[in-house]
Amino acid sequence: MKKCFFFIFVCIFIGREITVAQPLQQSSAATQKWWKEAVVYQIYPRSFKDSNGDGIGDLKGIISKLDYIKSLGVDVVWLNPIYQSPNFDNGYDVSDYKKILPEFGTMADFDSLLQGMHRRGIKLVMDLVVNHSSSEHEWFKQSRSSRTNPYRDYYHWWNAENGKPPYRFSLFDINHDAWKYDTTTNAYYLHYFSDKQPDLNWENPKVRNEVYNIMRFWANKGIDGFRLDAFQFVAKDTTFPQFPKRFEKNFMHYYAMQGNLHGYLQQMNQQIFSKYDVMSVAEGAGNTFEDAHNLVDSNRHELNIAYAFNGVDIAKPNGYSLLQFKTVFSQWDSAFEHSGWLAVFLANHDQARMVSRFGNDAPAFRTHSSQMLSTFLLTMRGTPFYYNGDELGMSNPHFTSISDYRDEVILDAYKHTKQTGGNINVFMKNLAFGARDNGRTPFQWNSSTNAGFTTGTPWIGINANYTTVNAAVEENDPNSCLNYFRKLVQLRKNNPTLVYGKYTLLDKDNTQVYAYLREDAHGKFLVVLNFSDKNAEFNNPILMKQAKLLLANYTTNATISLTKILVLRPYEAMVIQL
Ligand code: GLC
Ligand code: CA
């Protein structure tokens, strides 16, 4: 990694600022693929649209909004889990991978959803949650019933007569202890997430075959891709060696990308991905660029798209540094310039709202700053993974009471903070900024009761700003976030240079402005983004003689000056053709 880092450092900070007049070569990363050109729209089914008044979004609800989704211009929908589940973790605890959660509908509903999407030219990517199952999955029920049950080694067990198992970290357990003692068989089972999400034993070939079966079932239905949940953690050393003292909690270092992970992915590719025209993306991309490349370089026959958290992790309650933001995104772009492919995202169902974390959700700035962030996402190299509601500029709801939250992991953490005498005020402030429930409030369709999401009581509160921030109002406003997002999607569609073209960071030390070039043999674009709430100057090294403003988020015309300095208004975004 060190070597690689040094190389990238040199490229970004020394060489790449200058636009060199040499022919732009097609890199291998530029091999055209539909999943590179796609804009992925992530739908959180529980919060998108409720069709039957029980306060919970469902498949029929999504079906009723397919024309809206089509109107965005997006090509792919990624749906969070919709399988049978006790719902401890909103579907990320699956108890039957081939059944639909009744709250969401039936298999017939699913079939018509898929049909409706395909009729409109929209592809569907499903979430595959197989690092763990629910503790209520039949496999686990069998597994825990006796030590000799045929399903015993579908999970990881440690017999208690061998003493306490070597420490393993759990992300969701309050005490961060990943071993749970089970009296029935006097043994501990492993759970990297909650104790209701026991880890599947990927070292067991039967488990892998079960998973391929499940994948075949959905692929045969005609779905177009898989998002592999928490997949970087599936492989384990089943001798469970002791990790170095005091470092046992270094989760990414000791738990990600272990053992035969790549062997499993190659097998999955051979069994499934190579047989269907599906795209594949795994959550998490390890610790290094090398790790990420090992997942997605096409000659390795594993996955298509790396989904790394380094960008989205930058936002902190007390703000973030734009210089760091630029560095991270530039380094990742540079590391993937010649092979492999990345997802570009600033939000998902595990994050608070993009505009609240990276922009500014004060009424005066919400629209411009969320449009500016969308401009970034849609003009970077990589496949944009765009989270539902961000096209409206939906923001954090600013919940103030713990009773507003629904995420069990948060509720557990709250109890724990209370019990251990932690600072509740700080805890609540951090939640309001970063809790994942912030990104899960119902989609704001219109100004009627409950934002048109449900006729019943929504499962989680609706952002009070829904009377002004909603799809119906924004539909009729040519300058809304919604209509701006549509223009951005079209701009990307019409200009493959924005998908494949070389990226060059400009004016890198500018603490307010993020500016970059995208160019290839077919075109050249300058993207200028003011990330601050003040006017900002961009020190422009580019000849602007034939510049044409393609898209901007201010209604009064931006002037593209022919001089070196470009003055931008707060959160102003421009895409300029050169
Ligand atoms: C992933 C999911 C998250 C879930 C966790 C456990 O990180 O995105 O929502 O809680 O895996 O499945
Ligand atoms: Ca419902």
Side-chain angles (χ1 to χ4, degrees):
M1 173 59 180
K2 266 214 179 105
K3 235 192 205 158
C4 180
F5 182 81
F6 181 69
F7 173 67
I8 284 147
F9 187 86
V10 170
C11 288
I12 291 172
F13 294 107
I14 302 179
R16 298 217 8 209
E17 254 214 346
I18 303 139
T19 338
V20 231
Q22 64 189 14
L24 288 158
Q25 286 168 353
Q26 286 263 328
S27 67
S28 60
T31 316
Q32 296 189 352
K33 296 281 179 201
W34 65 261
W35 42 264
K36 291 182 182 173
E37 293 172 20
V39 176
V40 178
Y41 182 68
Q42 182 189 350
I43 292 183
Y44 197 65
R46 211 173 177 74
S47 303
F48 196 61
K49 173 68 186 165
D50 174 24
S51 72
N52 63 350
D54 66 355
I56 295 168
D58 46 51
L59 300 185
K60 283 206 167 103
I62 302 174
I63 293 171
S64 72
K65 294 297 181 185
L66 283 176
D67 287 334
Y68 169 81
I69 298 165
K70 176 73 186 162
S71 80
L72 299 175
V74 298
D75 319 79
V76 174
V77 165
W78 155 26
L79 214 53
N80 289 100
I82 53 168
Y83 317 102
Q84 178 82 59
S85 163
N87 256 323
F88 170 80
D89 189 20
N90 284 5
Y92 282 94
D93 44 333
V94 180
S95 53
D96 190 330
Y97 292 93
K98 295 184 184 170
K99 288 215 170 98
I100 302 290
L101 179 73
E103 274 176 346
F104 285 164
T106 62
M107 194 55 88
D109 295 335
F110 173 81
D111 292 338
S112 43
L113 172 64
L114 183 60
Q115 237 181 37
M117 284 186 176
H118 283 172
R119 217 180 311 124
R120 290 169 179 81
I122 301 167
K123 293 181 191 289
L124 176 62
V125 166
M126 299 277 281
D127 219 312
L128 185 72
V129 192
V130 289
N131 171 69
H132 45 268
S133 73
S134 158
S135 52
E136 291 181 31
H137 194 291
E138 188 56 30
W139 298 335
F140 190 71
K141 288 188 188 161
Q142 294 284 335
S143 184
R144 89 191 316 177
S145 67
S146 90
R147 289 189 181 185
T148 53
N149 187 282
Y151 288 91
R152 184 65 170 182
D153 55 1
Y154 271 44
Y155 297 86
H156 297 286
W157 291 97
W158 180 277
N159 293 339
E161 63 271 22
N162 298 331
K164 278 206 92 175
Y167 179 79
R168 287 298 181 266
F169 182 83
S170 164
L171 282 162
F172 286 1
D173 185 82
I174 272 306
N175 299 309
H176 297 303
D177 181 354
W179 290 108
K180 166 101 173 170
Y181 178 72
D182 201 43
T183 46
T184 321
T185 57
N186 186 36
Y188 299 85
Y189 67 85
L190 185 74
H191 61 91
Y192 282 178
F193 293 88
S194 96
D195 59 5
K196 299 184 179 64
Q197 297 165 299
D199 283 46
L200 282 159
N201 178 8
W202 270 76
E203 279 58 51
N204 180 352
K206 284 192 205 146
V207 167
R208 300 202 295 275
N209 283 329
E210 297 270 16
V211 171
Y212 305 147
N213 249 321
I214 291 162
M215 294 176 85
R216 246 172 247 126
F217 173 84
W218 292 101
N220 287 335
K221 276 187 172 288
I223 71 156
D224 307 283
F226 294 96
R227 177 259 186 191
L228 277 62
D229 182 71
F231 203 80
Q232 56 183 343
F233 304 117
V234 301
K236 280 133 191 146
D237 178 347
T238 50
T239 64
F240 293 107
Q242 207 92 40
F243 291 151
K245 277 264 162 300
R246 291 186 297 114
F247 296 98
E248 308 93 326
K249 297 188 177 176
N250 191 341
F251 199 67
M252 283 306 292
H253 187 75
Y254 287 111
Y255 302 73
M257 319 302 287
Q258 297 298 306
N260 195 21
L261 182 83
H262 294 292
Y264 304 152
L265 281 173
Q266 282 160 14
Q267 189 179 50
M268 186 185 281
N269 186 300
Q270 188 244 326
Q271 297 266 331
I272 310 293
F273 300 141
S274 64
K275 304 234 157 72
Y276 301 86
D277 187 18
V278 289
M279 65 172 254
S280 54
V281 51
E283 185 196 27
N287 291 297
T288 61
F289 296 134
E290 198 187 338
D291 279 350
H293 272 288
N294 286 343
L295 290 172
V296 295
D297 279 359
S298 56
N299 53 358
R300 294 177 55 88
H301 305 289
E302 296 185 24
L303 300 171
N304 297 142
I305 303 178
Y307 189 96
F309 286 101
N310 305 61
V312 83
D313 281 349
I314 293 170
K316 297 281 179 295
N318 54 356
Y320 69 98
S321 136
L322 178 62
L323 293 186
Q324 190 196 355
F325 186 92
K326 291 198 250 187
T327 303
V328 168
F329 279 98
S330 301
Q331 285 178 342
W332 275 87
D333 180 84
S334 174
F336 279 74
E337 182 164 5
H338 299 295
S339 61
W341 196 254
L342 291 173
V344 179
F345 64 99
L346 287 175
N348 60 37
H349 65 291
D350 292 327
Q351 310 282 332
R353 281 287 170 186
M354 163 174 98
V355 68
S356 304
R357 295 180 77 224
F358 289 98
N360 188 329
D361 64 13
F365 298 119
R366 189 193 52 79
T367 298
H368 283 135
S369 71
S370 67
Q371 290 170 333
M372 184 278 293
L373 294 167
S374 296
T375 313
F376 167 72
L377 291 170
L378 274 286
T379 57
M380 285 295 279
R381 179 157 45 189
T383 301
F385 277 61
Y386 198 85
Y387 189 58
N388 61 185
D390 284 348
E391 76 274 26
L392 307 178
M394 278 179 64
S395 54
N396 283 2
H398 299 289
F399 288 152
T400 51
S401 156
I402 192 66
S403 62
D404 295 329
Y405 291 92
R406 297 290 175 271
D407 183 352
E408 295 289 347
V409 182
I410 289 174
L411 302 181
D412 275 356
Y414 177 82
K415 268 185 238 147
H416 185 74
T417 309
K418 277 227 133 149
Q419 280 159 12
T420 53
N423 187 330
I424 285 291
N425 283 339
V426 172
F427 179 84
M428 292 303 293
K429 264 203 184 129
N430 287 341
L431 284 188
F433 172 78
R436 52 189 195 166
D437 275 345
N438 289 302
R440 297 176 176 184
T441 64
F443 195 96
Q444 294 162 207
W445 290 106
N446 56 46
S447 317
S448 72
T449 323
N450 294 325
F453 164 70
T454 180
T455 54
T457 308
W459 71 276
I460 188 170
I462 292 173
N463 193 320
N465 69 10
Y466 79 87
T467 52
T468 51
V469 181
N470 66 60
V473 164
E474 296 194 29
E475 187 72 54
N476 297 320
D477 172 0
N479 304 312
S480 64
C481 290
L482 175 59
N483 284 317
Y484 184 81
F485 176 69
R486 288 172 171 149
K487 285 182 208 157
L488 270 172
V489 174
Q490 285 321 310
L491 186 72
R492 191 173 176 90
K493 298 270 137 210
N494 296 337
N495 298 286
T497 303
L498 293 174
V499 176
Y500 296 111
K502 181 179 161 68
Y503 157 98
T504 310
L505 176 65
L506 303 173
D507 201 5
K508 68 175 164 53
D509 295 326
N510 195 321
T511 54
Q512 290 172 278
V513 176
Y514 191 173
Y516 46 91
L517 289 174
R518 300 296 317 282
E519 62 188 312
D520 62 11
H522 309 290
K524 186 167 178 178
F525 300 87
L526 168 65
V527 181
V528 192
L529 310 167
N530 181 358
F531 269 68
S532 79
D533 61 359
K534 313 231 161 22
N535 283 349
E537 290 184 351
F538 162 53
N539 193 352
N540 182 19
I542 302 296
L543 255 183
M544 301 282 273
K545 261 197 192 136
Q546 296 177 351
K548 183 176 160 206
L549 183 65
L550 291 182
L551 191 59
N553 65 343
Y554 269 76
T555 46
T556 52
N557 267 342
T559 35
I560 314 177
S561 81
L562 294 176
T563 62
K564 259 183 87 61
I565 303 290
L566 204 63
V567 180
L568 298 151
R569 289 161 282 186
Y571 301 108
E572 188 160 20
M574 293 186 222
V575 184
I576 297 162
Q577 188 166 33
L578 298 168

